[in-house]
Amino acid sequence: MSTNSPIPTLHADRTDDLTSWHESVVESNDDDFSAAKTLTTKLGAHRRDGVVEFGFWTPDLVEAGVPEAAVELELLTPPADLDPGETDHRRATFDRHRIPMRRVGEYHWTAVEGVRAGTRDTLGALYRLVYEGDDGEERTVQDPVAYSVPFGAFAPAEVYDLDRLDETRADRDYFAALGTDDERVATTEDGGLPRIDPATSMLEIHPGTATARGSLAGLAEVYQGIAAKQRGGDDLAPWEHAFAGYDGIQLMPVEPLTENEEEHDFWSVADDSAAEVTVEVARPEMINWGYDLVVSAFSAPNPAILETGRPDELVDFIAACHDLPRPIKVVFDIALGHADNRGAELLSDRYVLGPGMYGKHLDYTEPTARAVFLEMQRRKMDFGADGIRVDGAQDFTSYDPETGEMYHDDDFLAEMDRVTQEVAGTEYRPWIIYEDGRPWPREDWELASSYRALIEQHPHSFQWSPITFAHNTPALLTFWATKWWRVREVGEFGGNWLTGVANHDTVRRGTQIDPTVEFNQSPVNPYLGDDYPETLDEAYDNAASSMLFHCFLPGVPMDFVHANMRAPWGFVRDTDPTWNVKVVSDESKFCYWQVRDEDFEDDRFFRRVKGLGFDSREELLTFMNALSSAVGATDYDLNVMAAMLSAMDQPLGDDLSAADLEAYGYAWMRDVHEFANLGHWRDEQDDERTAFRLETRKFRHDRPWLISDLDADDDYFTYRHPTDGSVLYYGFRTAPDEGDGGQLLFAANMEGVPVEVSPATLAADAAEDENAPAIPTDGWEPALVAPGVEELDDSTASTDPLAVALTNGAAVIWRRNL
């Protein structure tokens, strides 16, 4: 098979240059970590002046005594017309070439000319390291710092022309504006470089379910459409309101994922010879929320959300966000705090400390591994991200041999903060956000965590607030009363916090509550809705909480697009053959909270479990509850569980096996993944509700000073007590001199029966608190009034025209000129 490409051949002089450079780096650095930070910049594949340089860190091979001559670079050049975006499995024949590698210390280097590099339109040559083991069997090593893995992290990586990608990106002028007076993107000088300032408000998005296409191209299309309407002065559709009004987007992880050996096969060799290899290939399709990654190829985009199979798709999405009339900053969710168990198949042992809570605990103290993790971060962010959200920063722990205990590796987190980016010729530092709930998972974490440990170390950084962290449940009665102490903290020192109640974790936690059990928990809030789905929707998307975080409290409010659209969301993944059924059992209450009878009856939904014999939502709910009980009763013994469930009346039959339960688990996960796709819920959006939420975001953008902490002398935030059946939050803020010069008075019925309020009654309440500032009683006018706010009857209104009644979840904010 001929690919009409040049034949890859060793470039001896450039290989000599690489090895000499390596030796000079080692000689000029005093410690292994400093040297590794430089050496790792050339690992992987880099095209320069028509030659591609390759580097691998291979400590396992050196320790095993594998001879240098036994180690080669394998290059697989595909047919020129092979489309990496196709998800259908098909066969393709690749030209195979082997190139000798040069060993220096624990590294292998080589330089090769005649290598096809990938572009937007062409699939480049694939590569990996190959060597012969002691048993005579050939083994492979994938590139952990690849830029492109079109067939997944377990397949060879692709040589990609990064320079061309950078030179042709559509938002080069955006990056050229960093550090200037251009109003499109604000920055603050940090160590001689511009650091991107925080967003005013942010939206969290799961790319795999946010559009019918389930891709970054689909998301780019959404924002291109919004931009066109905004420029043309056209009205947005109700569903578009859910995506608009933000100047920040946090993408859930876009890294290559683990794969299920029993379910996924995107690179399978069918026939090979010395000169060529025939492989069955497909673009990966995995169902996962993004956090189950193998770390290897972390630097590449997840091909499962690239419908073109090209890394350009990630850049195009970022450029679409930067091209809006008010540019949107894109924040990458960097989950380097753990690796899925299968990561051990791809990573050297030196990357892994041992087993951990989420799979493999990474070793941040190993000098080269430490440097590689930072290089992975740098390369991924160089696709053009404006910000980095460090997932689970409390999980970055290392072992202290002197004490025999684990400690928070804050030095490594500081190294993450110091990584600089270069995009379109501009160097900059991103906005950095840490999710850190230390001492979580200690039993008293909810009481003990300050959520400020990293802000205190890095004053420019942000953290997720306590109300935003994983375990909040506003669907339960008294949530806003019992969490008042945490909400008050947002007002007092939340200026560097991400705030809001809805995100991928909190909504999932909400669906895991058993609404039929009140032991040790509050009952479901009866004021929120007439059924469980309505209650959950209203809990994570209501005017009171939206206005609280967007229109009054400091920090950066963040919403979750699924909550904005009141669409289903749960924990979905088909990538785990070991815990698949247990994960499904943990979602057993999903049927209560997210599925209505009419949803189950809809032909679009739950097709797989219907195919297994489930005819009604009630039947499915009964089985899910039994499955959950069986997991607990058997300590997750699938065989015993199958025997127990065989004895009950259920559609799967009376002779269940462990395999039957696993098949059910995959069916459930895939059905929920489709059920949660926002493409199904566009036409269900209410114009009044979504338009008002957009108004709350506009309100904050008009008042960027709201990000700052409340002033202890001039501002005020409290709740009315005794509550008398309603949890009424209210507060008073005065804009700084550089603001719009106005004052704001906020009131929200967070939960409970309707309550009457007016500026006069709130001023009177505050007057009883000797620590409160004097709140004026005149000059107020409504600035933003939520749907559900009711005017009082004429007799009351005649004496106090601003008096209103706030129903559950309703809020009002008045404005007053100074």
Side-chain angles (χ1 to χ4, degrees), residues 283-523:
R283 177 169 70 86
E285 287 185 296
M286 289 90 77
I287 293 168
N288 198 285
W289 62 344
Y291 296 95
D292 299 305
L293 45 90
V294 289
V295 173
S296 183
F298 185 97
S299 40
N302 173 13
I305 55 173
L306 302 176
E307 64 181 69
T308 60
R310 305 287 75 206
D312 304 71
E313 195 170 319
L314 176 57
V315 172
D316 291 347
F317 165 72
I318 294 170
C321 291
H322 290 165
D323 186 52
L324 268 81
R326 178 191 288 130
I328 292 178
K329 302 170 185 180
V330 177
V331 175
F332 284 173
D333 196 343
I334 300 298
L336 275 171
H338 64 277
D340 181 84
N341 280 321
R342 290 204 70 194
E345 300 175 28
L346 298 171
L347 299 171
S348 160
D349 291 344
R350 297 263 287 276
Y351 287 101
V352 179
L353 184 64
M357 183 178 294
Y358 305 108
K360 297 300 182 185
H361 196 115
L362 302 177
D363 189 352
Y364 306 104
T365 64
E366 208 293 332
T368 306
R370 190 178 183 90
V372 171
F373 296 143
L374 296 170
E375 180 65 12
M376 290 173 175
Q377 171 191 323
R378 185 187 69 81
R379 294 188 188 190
K380 175 53 72 55
M381 296 290 291
D382 271 356
F383 279 101
D386 301 273
I388 171 176
R389 183 256 187 184
V390 180
D391 176 66
Q394 73 278 340
D395 299 325
F396 288 75
T397 55
S398 295
Y399 178 72
D400 185 342
E402 292 186 5
T403 65
E405 296 179 351
M406 302 295 290
Y407 64 92
H408 292 289
D409 198 337
D410 288 345
D411 288 343
F412 182 79
L413 296 176
E415 290 284 351
M416 296 182 79
D417 178 55
R418 285 192 285 267
V419 173
T420 61
Q421 311 308 139
E422 183 174 355
V423 181
T426 298
E427 280 192 273
Y428 66 96
R429 289 190 168 97
W431 174 31
I432 187 162
I433 305 162
Y434 296 101
E435 181 201 29
D436 188 282
R438 65 183 69 180
W440 188 90
R442 204 174 80 191
E443 265 189 40
D444 67 339
W445 70 270
E446 193 166 9
L447 178 67
S449 178
S450 72
Y451 299 91
R452 296 188 55 78
L454 292 162
I455 295 172
E456 290 165 357
Q457 296 178 44
H458 313 287
H460 57 267
S461 71
F462 277 62
Q463 286 188 222
W464 275 31
S465 76
I467 296 298
T468 308
F469 199 70
H471 305 278
N472 76 48
T473 52
L476 298 181
L477 191 64
T478 76
F479 172 82
W480 292 105
T482 57
K483 293 297 183 183
W484 161 251
W485 65 288
R486 282 302 198 186
V487 178
R488 184 180 64 185
E489 290 178 341
V490 177
E492 291 175 343
F493 44 78
N496 282 56
W497 273 349
L498 267 289
T499 65
V501 295
N503 59 66
H504 72 276
D505 247 346
T506 57
V507 177
R508 175 178 70 98
R509 292 293 183 185
T511 65
Q512 291 180 336
I513 294 169
D514 187 344
T516 67
V517 177
E518 297 181 13
F519 176 72
N520 224 16
Q521 70 178 39
S522 299

Side-chain angles (χ1 to χ4, degrees), residues 29 34 48 78 141 154 226 245 256 284 400 412 542 550 560 643 656 805:
N29 284 276
S34 297
R48 184 166 60 88
V141 177
F154 292 85
I226 289 173
D400 185 342
F412 182 79
N542 64 65
H550 284 274
F560 182 39
L656 283 175

Side-chain angles (χ1 to χ4, degrees), residues 1 75-77 93-98 272-278:
M1 189 273 296
L75 287 166
L76 303 172
T77 306
T93 299
F94 296 72
D95 283 349
R96 167 187 272 161
H97 295 89
R98 298 274 177 96
D272 66 66
S273 65
E276 60 185 31
V277 56
T278 300

Side-chain angles (χ1 to χ4, degrees), residues 766-786:
E768 297 181 6
D769 183 351
E770 63 181 15
N771 296 315
I775 297 179
T777 58
D778 60 355
W780 295 103
E781 61 181 8
L784 198 61
V785 181

Side-chain angles (χ1 to χ4, degrees), residues 34 36 50 70 72 106 187 243 254 337 392 405 456 553 573 607 609 620 652 700 705-706 712 734 747 756 807:
S34 297
E72 296 178 297
E106 295 182 331
T187 59
F243 289 87
V254 293
E405 296 179 351
E456 290 165 357
L553 287 179
R573 65 179 187 188
R607 293 175 295 172
V609 297
L620 182 61
L652 298 180
R700 193 171 193 89
W705 56 270
L706 287 172
T734 299
E756 297 179 8
T807 57

Side-chain angles (χ1 to χ4, degrees), residues 621-634:
L621 177 58
T622 299
F623 180 77
M624 288 290 279
N625 284 333
L627 180 66
S628 180
S629 298
V631 169
T634 66

